[in-house]
Amino acid sequence: MSKYTEDDLREELKTKEYEYGFYTDIESDTFPIGLNEDIVRAISKKKDEPEWMTQWRLEAFKVWKEMKEPDWANVHYTKPDFQAIAYYSAPTSVDPNKTLDDVDPDLLAMYKKLGISVDEQKKMNNIAMDIVVDSVSVATTFKKTLAEKGIIFMPISEAIQEHPELVKKYLGTIVPTKDNFYAALNSAVFSDGSFCYIPKGVKCPMELSTYFRINQAGTGQFERTLVIADEGSYVSYLEGCTAPSRDENQLHAAVVELIALDDAEIKYSTVQNWYPGNAEGKGGVYNFVTKRGLCEKNAKISWTQVETGSAVTWKYPSCVLKGDNSVGEFYSIAVTNNFQQADTGTKMIHLGKNTKSTIISKGISAGKSQNSYRGLVQVSSRAENARNFSQCDSLLMGNECGAHTFPYIEAKNKTAQIEHEATTSKIGEDQIFYCNQRGIDTEKAIALIVNGFSKDVLNKLPMEFAVEAQKLLEISLEGSVG
Amino acid sequence: MLKINNLHASVEEKSILKGINLEVKAGEVHAIMGPNGSGKSTLASVIAGKEEYEVTAGNILLENEDIEELAAEERAHKGVFLSFQYPVEIPGVSVTNFIKTAINANRKAKGLEDMPANEMLKLIRSKSEMLEIDRKFLSRSLNQGFSGGEKKRNEIFQMAMLEPKLAILDETDSGLDIDALRIVANGVNKLKSKDNAVILITHYQRLLDYIKPDFVHVLYNGKIVKSGTAALAHELEEKGYDWIKEEVNA
Ligand SMILES: Nc1ncnc2c1ncn2[C@@H]1O[C@H](COP(=O)(O)OP(=O)(O)O)[C@@H](O)[C@H]1O
Ligand SMILES: [Mg+2]
């Protein structure tokens, strides 16, 4: 692994396009690069994991070794060399027993730069927050308040120790280790992530939030998130991601599993702003993520995502609508600029009767980027009266970018009602001149038009997040119209 | 207020304005009439600073300052307002949100803070009442699915909100029924003062019954070929443009 020098830092500071592209010089404990059984064991040992967990990882590793990286997505990139990545990096100054007040001031300064001053968050937003830097959870706020309601919200590494029965029961049940190449990899090497359990009938009184950040060079980040909403419960969960600007590509392969038991509801919102690479297409995060939720009877899962970052995105948050009357929703804004490539969408698997799904996807492409929506609506033969509505809108800026839509429909029950609408539009010079004439400059005009285009999805985000998402949209599209 | 000297402008190498001279003083209302395709909208766009039009000769002075180098938004900040002949749609952006953004952008250019929300609401309420605009209308997406009349009324609403120094109304009367025309004209008249000026681009005398012009100009083939008082508009109403074309081509 190459050492990060001051020259690199200076270089980095020059790439001002990416607001979050700073690197925090905290001491860290990084494994040697490469992946083999020993590394998997070492990760497990580092975490002091029980034997069942170690075995689970090793099995996943075995499965992964036999798998091939998928290439059906509409993205083109040099495949990562999985033996050139360090699979574990933890800031050494972190002690899991510390409270937030004891956290390394450098780390806290970093959160400030991220615009997520934890103190502020605590006071103002009523958001309980877990922050994962590189691979380790740094602090979980609000633990006590949540504990009073019986809500468990902690790093998954802690949950493995403290609530092994829950983890054992659900981990890998929604996204099995052999589900796909990246999920298998994640299962073998995940180092941390968040765990959340909402007991029966409990409405979680605050937004739960995780902030992910890749800091160390040459490392991969593999978080694992598991959210279980027990019968009749409700939770809204937020996830934010950033990474410093670097010349080489960084790998991020996360797995998120959601379980909504009977009558439960989970809202899962993501604002993804991994480093997208520079204007020439150098660097940037490869974001290969598997997210899936299971709905039991009358349960509901909503995925809302705002994807502005990453050089390559491969991501399909999905819902398995197993229980009768269950509901799945997917609301997405995906922005690509410069040389970014995104292949994202959802799968709605209708298994139960009267199941309903809604898909609203807004793709915004600028520069030389490629933006694809890929969605599957599947209705099984038992799923009487399943309904789906899908809407996929694309907005193009300039002539060099691409927008693509790949909707797949497989209906095996003839009572299914499936509607699909798609539009493609372009930001017109006339629209911009109209705004200019009213005194609104071009940058602001684009932001306004893009916000209008994305409104249906932005409205689905919790307030605090919607504002951040709007700002991000603005930043990501800066300079995209000459 | 506005002084245009020997203005030539072209688009895609095609010459459209061929030597326009026009002076509009504060407190005046000028009407510009002329057959379709004569360059009226082009003149409005060039004054407003639309980039695709190239000024090949002459200049435009706004309050004695040459505005050649100013971007469209900077001209707007200086008080130029154009009511578009064909206002564009901006899906998902409400009438309220749009005007709010515009007002605050203009304030920012003047070094002012955003207008406080309650003040903004009050202003929106008073201006929309003046133009008999329904509350529900304000939350619709800008110009999306608006009737011709609604679009024009919305343009005048924006004008009333922004209170420009120089308002150019490009065929604001077309598409309006007689009641709407009266409301819109009333709005324009309320805005008029000794410190600002209005240029009305129109085909019809009927607007000029409501907004009395001090001068009437006929634009034909990229030039102002005739200027006069309100009486000229009556003459055009009666006789059409053919006699002017003949005069010019003679
Ligand atoms: N963007 C443009 N590209 C090409 N031709 C244009 C453009 N804008 C205007 N024209 C031409 O310029 C002439 C004047 O148009 P316009 O100013 O719209 O006339 P008016 O408003 O008087 O009807 C017409 O021949 C029109 O086709
Ligand atoms: Mg015209």
Side-chain angles (χ1 to χ4, degrees), chain B residues 162-218:
Chain B
L162 292 164
E163 302 190 330
K165 277 203 191 118
L166 174 68
I168 307 166
L169 311 188
D170 192 355
E171 300 204 18
T172 300
D173 51 340
S174 47
L176 293 183
D177 61 33
I178 199 75
D179 289 333
L181 184 71
R182 203 172 37 232
I183 294 163
V184 162
N186 187 31
V188 176
N189 285 330
K190 279 208 175 124
L191 178 85
K192 257 174 47 187
S193 79
K194 62 177 179 21
D195 299 318
N196 55 34
V198 180
I199 297 176
L200 298 171
I201 295 173
T202 181
H203 279 295
Y204 306 105
Q205 165 60 33
R206 59 172 200 167
L207 177 66
L208 306 180
D209 289 341
Y210 292 99
I211 311 172
K212 294 274 179 255
D214 300 295
F215 299 96
V216 174
H217 311 276
V218 179

Coordinates of all heavy atoms in Angstrom, one line a residue, chain B residues 162-218:
Chain B
L162 N -41.7 41.7 -9.2 CA -40.3 42.1 -9.3 C -40.2 43.6 -9.5 O -39.2 44.2 -9.3 CB -39.7 41.4 -10.5 CG -39.4 39.9 -10.3 CD1 -39.2 39.2 -11.6 CD2 -38.3 39.7 -9.4
E163 N -41.3 44.3 -9.8 CA -41.3 45.7 -10.0 C -40.2 46.3 -10.8 O -39.3 47.0 -10.3 CB -41.4 46.4 -8.6 CG -42.6 46.0 -7.9 CD -42.9 46.8 -6.6 OE1 -41.9 47.3 -6.0 OE2 -44.1 47.0 -6.2
P164 N -40.1 45.9 -12.1 CA -39.0 46.3 -12.9 C -39.0 47.8 -13.3 O -40.0 48.4 -13.2 CB -39.1 45.4 -14.2 CG -40.6 45.2 -14.3 CD -41.1 45.1 -12.8
K165 N -37.8 48.2 -13.7 CA -37.7 49.6 -14.3 C -38.2 49.6 -15.7 O -38.8 50.6 -16.1 CB -36.2 50.0 -14.3 CG -35.8 50.5 -12.9 CD -34.6 51.4 -13.1 CE -33.9 51.7 -11.8 NZ -32.6 51.2 -11.7
L166 N -37.8 48.6 -16.4 CA -38.2 48.6 -17.9 C -38.9 47.2 -18.1 O -38.3 46.2 -18.0 CB -36.9 48.7 -18.8 CG -37.2 48.5 -20.2 CD1 -38.0 49.6 -20.8 CD2 -35.9 48.3 -21.0
A167 N -40.2 47.3 -18.4 CA -40.9 46.1 -18.7 C -41.2 46.0 -20.2 O -41.7 47.0 -20.8 CB -42.2 46.1 -17.9
I168 N -40.9 44.8 -20.7 CA -41.2 44.6 -22.1 C -42.2 43.5 -22.2 O -42.0 42.4 -21.7 CB -39.9 44.2 -22.9 CG1 -38.8 45.2 -22.7 CG2 -40.2 44.0 -24.4 CD1 -37.4 44.6 -23.1
L169 N -43.4 43.8 -22.7 CA -44.4 42.8 -22.7 C -44.6 42.4 -24.2 O -45.1 43.1 -25.0 CB -45.8 43.4 -22.2 CG -45.7 44.2 -20.9 CD1 -47.1 44.5 -20.4 CD2 -45.0 43.4 -19.8
D170 N -44.2 41.1 -24.4 CA -44.3 40.6 -25.8 C -45.6 39.9 -26.0 O -45.8 38.7 -25.6 CB -43.1 39.7 -26.0 CG -42.9 39.3 -27.5 OD1 -43.7 39.8 -28.3 OD2 -41.9 38.7 -27.8
E171 N -46.5 40.5 -26.7 CA -47.8 39.9 -27.1 C -48.5 39.4 -25.9 O -49.1 38.3 -25.9 CB -47.7 38.9 -28.2 CG -47.1 39.5 -29.4 CD -47.4 38.8 -30.7 OE1 -48.4 38.0 -30.7 OE2 -46.8 39.0 -31.7
T172 N -48.4 40.1 -24.8 CA -49.1 39.7 -23.6 C -50.6 39.6 -23.7 O -51.3 38.8 -23.0 CB -48.7 40.6 -22.4 OG1 -47.3 40.6 -22.3 CG2 -49.3 40.2 -21.1
D173 N -51.1 40.4 -24.7 CA -52.6 40.4 -24.8 C -53.1 39.2 -25.6 O -54.3 38.9 -25.5 CB -53.0 41.7 -25.5 CG -52.2 42.0 -26.8 OD1 -51.1 41.4 -26.9 OD2 -52.6 42.8 -27.6
S174 N -52.3 38.6 -26.4 CA -52.8 37.5 -27.2 C -53.1 36.3 -26.3 O -52.4 36.0 -25.4 CB -51.9 37.1 -28.4 OG -50.6 36.9 -27.9
G175 N -54.3 35.7 -26.6 CA -54.7 34.6 -25.7 C -55.5 35.0 -24.5 O -56.0 34.2 -23.8
L176 N -55.7 36.3 -24.3 CA -56.5 36.8 -23.2 C -57.9 37.1 -23.6 O -58.1 37.8 -24.7 CB -55.9 38.0 -22.6 CG -54.5 37.9 -21.9 CD1 -54.1 39.2 -21.3 CD2 -54.5 36.8 -20.8
D177 N -58.9 36.7 -22.9 CA -60.2 37.1 -23.2 C -60.4 38.6 -22.6 O -59.5 39.1 -21.9 CB -61.3 36.2 -22.6 CG -61.2 36.0 -21.1 OD1 -60.9 37.0 -20.4 OD2 -61.5 34.9 -20.6
I178 N -61.5 39.2 -22.9 CA -61.6 40.6 -22.6 C -61.5 40.9 -21.1 O -60.9 41.9 -20.7 CB -62.9 41.2 -23.2 CG1 -62.8 42.7 -23.3 CG2 -64.2 40.7 -22.5 CD1 -61.9 43.1 -24.5
D179 N -62.0 40.0 -20.2 CA -61.9 40.2 -18.8 C -60.5 40.1 -18.3 O -60.0 41.0 -17.6 CB -62.8 39.2 -18.0 CG -64.2 39.4 -18.2 OD1 -64.6 40.6 -18.5 OD2 -65.0 38.5 -18.2
A180 N -59.8 39.1 -18.8 CA -58.4 38.9 -18.4 C -57.6 40.1 -18.9 O -56.7 40.5 -18.2 CB -57.9 37.6 -19.0
L181 N -57.9 40.5 -20.1 CA -57.1 41.7 -20.7 C -57.3 42.9 -19.8 O -56.3 43.6 -19.5 CB -57.7 42.0 -22.1 CG -57.0 43.1 -22.8 CD1 -55.6 42.6 -23.3 CD2 -57.8 43.6 -24.0
R182 N -58.5 43.1 -19.3 CA -58.7 44.3 -18.4 C -57.9 44.1 -17.1 O -57.2 45.1 -16.6 CB -60.2 44.4 -18.1 CG -60.5 45.8 -17.7 CD -62.0 46.1 -17.6 NE -62.7 44.9 -17.0 CZ -63.8 44.3 -17.6 NH1 -64.3 44.8 -18.7 NH2 -64.3 43.3 -17.0
I183 N -57.9 42.9 -16.6 CA -57.2 42.7 -15.3 C -55.7 42.9 -15.5 O -55.0 43.6 -14.7 CB -57.4 41.2 -14.8 CG1 -58.9 41.1 -14.4 CG2 -56.5 40.9 -13.6 CD1 -59.3 39.6 -14.3
V184 N -55.1 42.3 -16.6 CA -53.7 42.4 -16.9 C -53.3 43.9 -17.1 O -52.3 44.4 -16.6 CB -53.3 41.6 -18.1 CG1 -52.0 42.0 -18.7 CG2 -53.3 40.1 -17.7
A185 N -54.1 44.6 -17.9 CA -53.9 46.0 -18.2 C -53.9 46.8 -17.0 O -53.0 47.7 -16.7 CB -54.9 46.5 -19.2
N186 N -54.8 46.5 -16.1 CA -54.9 47.2 -14.8 C -53.7 47.0 -14.0 O -53.2 47.9 -13.4 CB -56.2 46.6 -14.1 CG -56.5 47.4 -12.8 OD1 -56.2 48.6 -12.8 ND2 -57.0 46.7 -11.9
G187 N -53.2 45.8 -14.0 CA -51.9 45.5 -13.3 C -50.8 46.3 -13.9 O -49.9 46.8 -13.1
V188 N -50.7 46.4 -15.2 CA -49.6 47.1 -15.8 C -49.7 48.6 -15.4 O -48.8 49.3 -15.1 CB -49.6 47.0 -17.3 CG1 -48.5 47.8 -18.0 CG2 -49.3 45.5 -17.7
N189 N -50.9 49.1 -15.5 CA -51.2 50.5 -15.2 C -50.8 50.9 -13.7 O -50.3 51.9 -13.5 CB -52.6 50.9 -15.4 CG -52.9 51.1 -16.9 OD1 -52.0 51.4 -17.7 ND2 -54.1 50.7 -17.4
K190 N -51.0 49.9 -12.8 CA -50.7 50.2 -11.4 C -49.2 50.3 -11.2 O -48.7 51.0 -10.4 CB -51.3 49.0 -10.6 CG -52.7 49.2 -10.3 CD -53.1 48.6 -9.0 CE -54.6 48.9 -8.6 NZ -55.3 47.6 -8.4
L191 N -48.5 49.5 -12.1 CA -47.0 49.5 -11.9 C -46.4 50.8 -12.5 O -45.3 51.2 -12.0 CB -46.4 48.3 -12.7 CG -44.9 48.2 -12.7 CD1 -44.5 47.5 -11.4 CD2 -44.4 47.5 -13.9
K192 N -47.1 51.4 -13.5 CA -46.5 52.5 -14.2 C -46.3 53.7 -13.2 O -47.1 54.0 -12.3 CB -47.5 53.0 -15.2 CG -47.1 52.6 -16.6 CD -48.2 52.9 -17.6 CE -48.7 54.4 -17.5 NZ -49.9 54.6 -18.4
S193 N -45.1 54.3 -13.4 CA -44.8 55.5 -12.6 C -43.9 56.4 -13.4 O -43.5 56.0 -14.5 CB -44.2 55.1 -11.3 OG -42.8 54.8 -11.5
K194 N -43.5 57.5 -12.8 CA -42.6 58.4 -13.6 C -41.2 57.8 -13.6 O -40.4 58.3 -14.4 CB -42.7 59.8 -13.0 CG -42.2 59.9 -11.6 CD -42.2 61.3 -11.1 CE -41.8 61.6 -9.7 NZ -41.0 60.6 -9.0
D195 N -40.9 56.8 -12.9 CA -39.6 56.3 -12.8 C -39.3 55.0 -13.6 O -38.2 54.5 -13.7 CB -39.2 55.9 -11.3 CG -39.3 57.1 -10.5 OD1 -38.8 58.2 -10.9 OD2 -39.8 57.0 -9.3
N196 N -40.4 54.5 -14.2 CA -40.2 53.3 -15.0 C -40.8 53.4 -16.4 O -41.5 54.4 -16.6 CB -40.6 52.0 -14.3 CG -42.1 52.1 -13.8 OD1 -42.9 52.7 -14.5 ND2 -42.4 51.5 -12.7
A197 N -40.6 52.4 -17.2 CA -41.1 52.5 -18.6 C -41.6 51.2 -19.0 O -41.2 50.1 -18.5 CB -40.0 53.0 -19.5
V198 N -42.5 51.2 -20.0 CA -43.1 50.0 -20.5 C -43.0 50.0 -22.1 O -43.2 51.0 -22.7 CB -44.6 49.9 -20.1 CG1 -45.2 48.6 -20.7 CG2 -44.7 50.0 -18.6
I199 N -42.6 48.8 -22.6 CA -42.6 48.6 -24.1 C -43.6 47.5 -24.3 O -43.5 46.4 -23.8 CB -41.3 48.2 -24.6 CG1 -40.2 49.3 -24.4 CG2 -41.4 47.9 -26.1 CD1 -38.8 48.9 -24.9
L200 N -44.7 47.8 -25.1 CA -45.7 46.9 -25.3 C -45.6 46.4 -26.8 O -45.6 47.2 -27.7 CB -47.1 47.5 -25.3 CG -47.5 48.1 -23.9 CD1 -48.8 48.9 -24.2 CD2 -47.8 47.0 -22.9
I201 N -45.4 45.1 -26.9 CA -45.3 44.5 -28.3 C -46.7 43.9 -28.5 O -47.2 43.1 -27.7 CB -44.2 43.5 -28.4 CG1 -42.9 44.1 -28.2 CG2 -44.3 42.8 -29.8 CD1 -41.7 43.1 -28.2
T202 N -47.4 44.4 -29.5 CA -48.7 43.9 -29.7 C -49.2 44.0 -31.2 O -48.6 44.7 -32.0 CB -49.7 44.7 -28.8 OG1 -51.0 44.1 -29.0 CG2 -49.8 46.1 -29.2
H203 N -50.2 43.2 -31.5 CA -50.8 43.3 -32.8 C -52.0 44.1 -32.8 O -52.6 44.5 -33.8 CB -51.2 41.9 -33.3 CG -50.1 41.1 -33.9 ND1 -49.4 41.5 -35.0 CD2 -49.5 40.0 -33.4 CE1 -48.5 40.6 -35.2 NE2 -48.5 39.7 -34.3
Y204 N -52.6 44.3 -31.6 CA -54.0 44.8 -31.5 C -54.1 46.1 -30.8 O -53.5 46.4 -29.8 CB -54.8 43.7 -30.8 CG -54.7 42.4 -31.4 CD1 -54.0 41.4 -30.8 CD2 -55.3 42.1 -32.7 CE1 -53.9 40.1 -31.4 CE2 -55.2 40.9 -33.3 CZ -54.5 39.9 -32.6 OH -54.4 38.7 -33.2
Q205 N -54.9 46.9 -31.4 CA -55.3 48.1 -30.8 C -55.9 48.0 -29.4 O -55.7 48.8 -28.5 CB -56.3 48.8 -31.8 CG -57.1 50.0 -31.2 CD -56.2 51.1 -30.8 OE1 -55.1 51.3 -31.3 NE2 -56.6 51.8 -29.7
R206 N -56.7 46.9 -29.3 CA -57.5 46.8 -28.1 C -56.7 46.9 -26.8 O -57.2 47.5 -25.8 CB -58.4 45.5 -28.1 CG -57.6 44.2 -28.1 CD -58.5 43.0 -27.9 NE -57.6 41.9 -27.5 CZ -58.0 40.8 -27.0 NH1 -59.2 40.6 -26.9 NH2 -57.1 39.9 -26.7
L207 N -55.5 46.4 -26.7 CA -54.7 46.5 -25.5 C -54.4 48.0 -25.3 O -54.4 48.5 -24.1 CB -53.4 45.7 -25.7 CG -52.4 45.9 -24.5 CD1 -52.9 45.2 -23.2 CD2 -51.0 45.3 -24.8
L208 N -54.2 48.7 -26.4 CA -53.8 50.1 -26.3 C -55.0 51.0 -25.8 O -54.8 52.1 -25.4 CB -53.3 50.6 -27.6 CG -52.1 49.8 -28.1 CD1 -51.6 50.3 -29.4 CD2 -51.0 49.7 -27.1
D209 N -56.2 50.4 -25.8 CA -57.4 51.1 -25.3 C -57.2 51.2 -23.7 O -57.8 52.1 -23.1 CB -58.7 50.4 -25.6 CG -59.0 50.6 -27.1 OD1 -58.4 51.6 -27.7 OD2 -59.8 49.8 -27.7
Y210 N -56.6 50.1 -23.2 CA -56.4 50.1 -21.8 C -55.1 50.7 -21.3 O -55.1 51.3 -20.2 CB -56.5 48.6 -21.3 CG -57.9 48.0 -21.5 CD1 -58.1 47.2 -22.6 CD2 -58.9 48.2 -20.6 CE1 -59.4 46.6 -22.8 CE2 -60.1 47.7 -20.8 CZ -60.4 46.9 -21.9 OH -61.6 46.3 -22.1
I211 N -54.1 50.4 -22.0 CA -52.8 51.0 -21.6 C -52.4 52.0 -22.7 O -52.1 51.7 -23.8 CB -51.7 50.0 -21.5 CG1 -52.1 48.8 -20.7 CG2 -50.4 50.6 -21.0 CD1 -51.2 47.6 -20.7
K212 N -52.5 53.3 -22.4 CA -52.3 54.3 -23.4 C -50.8 54.5 -23.7 O -50.0 54.9 -22.8 CB -52.9 55.7 -22.8 CG -54.4 55.6 -22.6 CD -55.1 56.0 -23.9 CE -56.6 56.0 -23.7 NZ -57.2 54.8 -24.3
P213 N -50.5 54.3 -24.9 CA -49.1 54.5 -25.3 C -48.8 56.0 -25.6 O -49.6 56.7 -26.1 CB -48.9 53.7 -26.6 CG -50.3 53.7 -27.2 CD -51.3 53.9 -26.1
D214 N -47.5 56.4 -25.2 CA -47.1 57.7 -25.6 C -46.6 57.7 -27.1 O -46.7 58.7 -27.8 CB -46.0 58.2 -24.7 CG -46.5 58.2 -23.2 OD1 -47.4 59.0 -22.9 OD2 -46.0 57.4 -22.4
F215 N -46.0 56.6 -27.5 CA -45.5 56.5 -28.8 C -45.9 55.1 -29.4 O -45.9 54.2 -28.6 CB -44.0 56.7 -28.9 CG -43.6 58.0 -28.4 CD1 -43.2 58.2 -27.0 CD2 -43.6 59.1 -29.2 CE1 -42.8 59.4 -26.6 CE2 -43.2 60.4 -28.8 CZ -42.8 60.5 -27.4
V216 N -46.0 55.1 -30.7 CA -46.3 53.8 -31.4 C -45.2 53.7 -32.5 O -45.0 54.7 -33.2 CB -47.7 53.8 -32.0 CG1 -47.9 52.5 -32.8 CG2 -48.7 53.8 -30.8
H217 N -44.6 52.5 -32.6 CA -43.6 52.3 -33.6 C -44.0 51.1 -34.5 O -44.6 50.1 -33.9 CB -42.2 52.0 -33.1 CG -41.8 53.0 -32.0 ND1 -41.2 54.2 -32.3 CD2 -41.9 53.0 -30.6 CE1 -41.0 54.9 -31.2 NE2 -41.4 54.1 -30.2
V218 N -43.7 51.1 -35.7 CA -43.9 50.0 -36.6 C -42.6 49.4 -36.9 O -41.7 50.0 -37.5 CB -44.7 50.4 -37.8 CG1 -44.9 49.1 -38.7 CG2 -46.0 51.0 -37.5

